[in-house]
């Protein structure tokens, strides 16, 4: 966890010197120093800064690169507090709580925390409590929690729902939240904030530390972690000299007419050569289907690697994932093709190289994955980008620039998710009960709910007490009621049991198990994908081509397929949008290219494409918005290139189509990617008239933006789909008892019924408002859309009439064809189009 060389810099260092303390606390520090020295490890300045702050009872956020020693910075801070208490440390009960965002990280964390205990606190144990903990261990912990406990936000919430929760946490001294950057941007982070507020209420002197890497909004992150105590918090940056190398595998012949994924497997020989020249490599992909395809093709190309390369993603069975992780730790695997399932803090020291297949889409994600190699202070972390499209060479150049400048994305923090609050009210009612005003004041101390109004609080309380306006007559929705002393409690054991079973729904996936007919579970897969398959269809899963046989009791039964492969699953997470930071870095490179400057191997490789784009049209830059008008047999095309990312382009294209149609009636087909969008009209459209100076100003206006976005999209359908997850978290939908789960189709039917009931009879229901807000904020990124519109208003519009699809327009046309054509027909059509365009380019 520590190294012999790298010496980080420190910010916000407290002036108190703990290296020459009083006799009372000198011995514990000397013990710790001796432990480090015995391993030939240096204690870094930022680690001592954390120790100083914690000794003084301060909380804070530690931000440092992956593999720089964060874990032992906060763990030894907690141990130092215990050791300094002398005899008092012998008292039983939970003293240190360690929260991890993933169950998969828990066992690895426990091993790291146990290592120094034999020398420093031999009477201590580190326990683990997650969804994987067996019943006998849970029973032991229910009687008495261990001195240190590694758990997840869901398991902590379950502990808080116990009637004796306050007594269980009575002696808690330190809480450590690992990988805070992964939690803070979602509802699990809101759940964590509420849990921490409860623990702080029981112990106002509680010390809380968060660990984070790759964050752009540090102060806001600390505010979210510490709530209203953040003003007295300490922000420590362990900025080390750890070197991160970002480079690119350059394809031999980058196409001048790229399309999404077309390079892909053409890069397989180069990837195999990279893997062959290193001991252990992680090859990251952005989607599970992409990981499956690369793993399968790598085995076909190198059959002798069978047993030495592996596949790892979140849908595979837990036993398979654990086998892969053990193989990585022991240096037994040559390579692992993986997804974000290996992004987080598991420590795989043997990993020498990281490959990123396809664009990482964001600087933070790229740095996080780079840190999987050289995962120790002083070691070089290296990530090599493998482009799957020629335009990803542009992203690669921009990514390296952004990394060098430290331009890392901020993580948005959910604002007042009421479904989580509703769940929390029932949890606290179970965990000893609450009075309305006291719990309202407590909830308001969190960052997520700091602006919660009394009216919103009263609505949430009324919703759990009687189901709101429309569910009053149903007893099962009177979940929390006041007793004779005004303390709100759960009045029924059945409600209590169902609530505890539903606490984990914040991370629940709509998935079904995949099983062989002959027996054995392979993993889990999205029900939405399986529901599209017919008996006999083939799909790739777990590195095998499988034939779908039937669905039965929430399991998809399959057999090994024979013959040609069929459908490839479109896994969730396949549409990660380009971040603003990476988009701006790419636009800066295009600005240079427009002036004839092609610095670096990536830009030199893509120069023929960009030069042809300029010849036939122009280049978008940070100061110019490029629009292209093209006529074809399909109709009239408008291409625009804001470089704002896929999610923003969905809203932007729909918005412009809506605003166009108000000026001239018409129907548009829409195609999008991370660089731009296409509007295709089958009837003539006077694009030039619509794109005048006054016209573009109206089209890009932010006036009435919310109303126009809602009108341009099927917002009601989007909100209804989003409402299902909100209803599950809020406890409206019971998912069934163990062994008797409800299908996701049943859950969707139930949530749709609630949605319609609320819409017709309880229009003021705030969960409906939340569903609409989440669609706008998360799926359509309304805030970023507004920022993009304001940014585009400042750019000069360049409109070009083109005779044919340009290099930038071509991938958008292919995206549209992809929805209509089979893989084979798409490949044939694309190849024919490329031949025609290359012929035109050579005679231009």
């Amino acid at each position: 966890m520590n190294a012999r060389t790298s010496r980080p810099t420190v910010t916000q260092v407290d002036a108190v010197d703990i290296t020459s303390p009083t006799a009372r606390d000198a011995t514990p520090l000397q013990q710790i120093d001796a432990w480090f020295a015995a391993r030939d490890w240096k204690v870094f300045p930022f680690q001592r800064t954390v120790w100083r702050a914690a000794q003084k009872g301060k909380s804070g956020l530690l931000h440092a690169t992956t593999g720089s020693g964060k874990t032992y910075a906060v763990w030894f801070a907690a141990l130092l507090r215990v050791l300094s208490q002398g005899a008092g440390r012998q008292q039983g009960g939970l003293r240190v709580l360690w929260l991890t965002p993933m169950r998969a990280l828990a066992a690895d964390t426990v091993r790291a925390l146990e290592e120094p205990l034999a020398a420093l606190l031999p009477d201590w144990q580190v326990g683990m409590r997650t969804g994987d903990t067996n019943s006998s261990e849970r029973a032991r912990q229910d009687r008495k929690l261990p001195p240190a406990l590694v758990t997840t936000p869901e398991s902590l919430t379950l502990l808080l729902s116990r009637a004796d929760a306050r007594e269980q946490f009575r002696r808690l001294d330190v809480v450590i939240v690992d990988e805070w950057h992964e939690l803070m941007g979602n509802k699990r982070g809101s759940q964590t904030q509420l849990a921490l507020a409860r623990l702080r209420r029981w112990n106002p002197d509680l010390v809380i530390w968060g660990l984070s890497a790759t964050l752009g909004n540090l102060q806001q992150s600390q505010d979210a972690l510490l709530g209203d105590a953040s003003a007295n918090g300490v922000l420590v940056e362990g900025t080390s000299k750890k070197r991160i190398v970002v480079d690119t595998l350059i394809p031999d012949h980058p196409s001048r007419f790229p399309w999404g994924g077309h390079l892909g497997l053409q890069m397989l020989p180069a990837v195999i050569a990279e893997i062959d020249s290193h001991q252990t490599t992680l090859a990251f992909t952005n989607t599970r289907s992409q990981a499956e395809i690369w793993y399968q093709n790598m085995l076909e190309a190198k059959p002798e690697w069978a047993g030495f390369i592996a596949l790892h993603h979140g849908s595979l069975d837990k036993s398979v994932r654990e086998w892969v992780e053990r193989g990585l730790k022991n240096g037994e695997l040559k390579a692992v093709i993986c997804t974000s399932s290996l992004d987080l803090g598991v420590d795989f020291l043997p990993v020498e190289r990281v490959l990123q297949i396809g664009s990482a889409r964001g600087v933070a994600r790229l740095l996080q994955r780079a840190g999987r190699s050289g995962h120790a202070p002083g070691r070089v972390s290296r990530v090599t980008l493998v482009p799957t499209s020629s335009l990803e060479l542009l992203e690669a150049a921009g990514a390296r620039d952004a990394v060098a400048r430290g331009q890392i994305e901020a993580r948005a923090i959910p604002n007042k998710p009421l479904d989580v609050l509703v769940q929390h009210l029932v949890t606290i009612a179970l965990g000893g009960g609450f009075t309305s005003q006291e719990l309202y004041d407590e909830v308001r101390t969190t960052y997520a709910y700091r602006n919660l109004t009394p009216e919103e609080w009263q609505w949430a309380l009324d919703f759990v007490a009687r189901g709101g306006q429309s569910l009053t007559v149903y007893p099962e929705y009177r979940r929390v009621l006041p007793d004779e002393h005004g303390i709100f409690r759960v009045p029924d054991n059945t409600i209590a049991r169902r609530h505890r079973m539903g606490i984990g729904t914040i991370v629940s996936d709509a998935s079904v198990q995949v099983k062989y007919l002959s027996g054995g579970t392979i993993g889990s897969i999205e029900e939405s994908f399986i529901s599209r398959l017919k008996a006999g269809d083939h799909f790739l899963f777990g590195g095998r081509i499988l034939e779908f046989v039937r669905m039965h009791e929430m399991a998809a039964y399959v057999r090994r397929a024979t013959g040609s492969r069929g459908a490839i699953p479109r896994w969730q997470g396949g549409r990660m949008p380009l971040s603003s930071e990476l988009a701006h870095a790419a636009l800066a490179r295009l600005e240079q290219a427009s002036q004839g400057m092609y610095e670096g191997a990536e830009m030199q490789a893509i120069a023929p494409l960009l030069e042809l784009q300029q010849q036939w049209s122009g280049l978008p830059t940070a100061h110019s918005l490029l629009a292209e008008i093209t006529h074809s047999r399909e109709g009239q095309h408008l291409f625009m290139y804001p470089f704002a990312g896929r999610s923003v382009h969905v809203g932007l294209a729909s918005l412009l189509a809506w605003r166009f149609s108000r000026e001239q009636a018409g129907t548009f087909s829409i195609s999008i990617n991370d660089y731009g969008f296409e509007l295709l009209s089958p009837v003539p459209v006077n694009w030039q008239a619509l794109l005048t100076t006054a016209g573009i100003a109206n089209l890009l206006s932010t006036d009435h933006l919310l109303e126009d976005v809602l009108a341009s999209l099927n917002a009601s359908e989007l909100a209804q789909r989003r409402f299902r997850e909100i209803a599950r978290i809020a406890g409206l939908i019971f998912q069934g008892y163990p062994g008797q789960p409800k299908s996701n189709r049943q859950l969707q039917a139930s949530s749709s019924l609630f949605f319609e009931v609320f819409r017709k009879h309880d229009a003021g229901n705030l969960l409906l408002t939340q569903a609409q807000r989440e669609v706008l904020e998360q799926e359509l990124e309304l805030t970023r859309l507004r920022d993009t519109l304001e940014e585009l208003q400042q750019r000069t519009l360049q409109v070009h009439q083109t005779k044919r699809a340009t290099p930038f327009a071509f991938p958008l046309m292919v995206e549209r064809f992809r929805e209509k054509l089979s893989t084979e027909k798409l490949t044939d059509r694309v190849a024919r189009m490329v031949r025609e365009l290359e012929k035109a380019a050579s005679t231009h």
Side-chain angles (χ1 to χ4, degrees), residues 81-93 95 121 123-124 171:
R81 285 180 59 84
V82 174
L83 289 166
S84 299
Q85 293 169 9
R89 75 190 194 213
Q90 303 297 333
Q91 299 177 22
R95 303 298 305 282
L121 284 169
D123 53 332
W124 264 41
R171 301 199 66 247

Side-chain angles (χ1 to χ4, degrees), residues 190-206:
S190 305
Q191 182 184 43
T192 303
Q193 292 180 50
L194 289 169
L196 293 176
R198 173 100 304 209
L199 296 176
R200 279 199 307 268
R201 183 175 188 85
W202 290 339
N203 179 6
D205 296 326
L206 186 67

Side-chain angles (χ1 to χ4, degrees), residues 258-260 809-819 826 830:
W259 52 286
F810 184 73
L812 285 165
M813 297 182 72
V814 175
E815 283 288 327
R816 182 161 41 80
F817 297 151
R818 200 190 297 270
E819 300 299 322
L826 175 65
V830 168

Side-chain angles (χ1 to χ4, degrees), residues 642-685:
F643 270 70
R646 180 180 295 272
S647 297
V648 171
H649 290 161
V650 169
L652 184 56
S654 302
L655 177 69
L656 294 193
W658 168 259
R659 289 176 172 175
F660 276 136
S661 65
R662 290 191 303 194
E663 301 296 326
Q664 179 179 332
T667 302
F668 301 97
S669 298
I670 296 175
S671 176
I672 60 167
N673 62 19
D674 277 308
Y675 314 122
F677 60 86
E678 173 198 26
L679 298 181
L680 169 62
S681 172
V683 299
V685 175

Side-chain angles (χ1 to χ4, degrees), residues 140 196 222 227 253 280 305 358 392 410 427 432 445 475 491 536 641 649 811 826:
R140 278 194 296 271
L196 293 176
Q222 180 179 293
H253 304 289
T280 306
W305 281 2
E392 287 182 355
T427 297
T445 66
Y641 309 101
H649 290 161
L826 175 65

Side-chain angles (χ1 to χ4, degrees), residues 392-460:
E392 287 182 355
L393 289 164
L394 174 66
E395 282 189 59
R400 197 168 61 250
D401 295 342
V403 168
R405 291 192 292 263
Q407 295 174 326
I408 302 173
E409 295 86 4
R411 303 284 179 107
I413 300 169
N415 181 38
K416 294 188 290 190
L418 295 178
D419 51 348
V420 179
L421 178 60
V422 164
Q423 185 185 101
H424 185 69
L425 290 178
V426 183
T427 297
I428 300 306
L430 282 170
F434 65 87
T435 60
S436 176
Q437 188 60 49
E438 285 186 352
L439 188 56
Y440 174 59
D441 292 341
E442 177 184 315
V443 167
R444 284 280 307 275
T445 66
T446 67
Y447 184 84
Y449 298 95
R450 66 196 185 283
N451 297 320
L452 187 73
T453 66
E455 293 76 19
E456 290 167 330
W457 170 258
Q458 191 57 48
W459 177 89

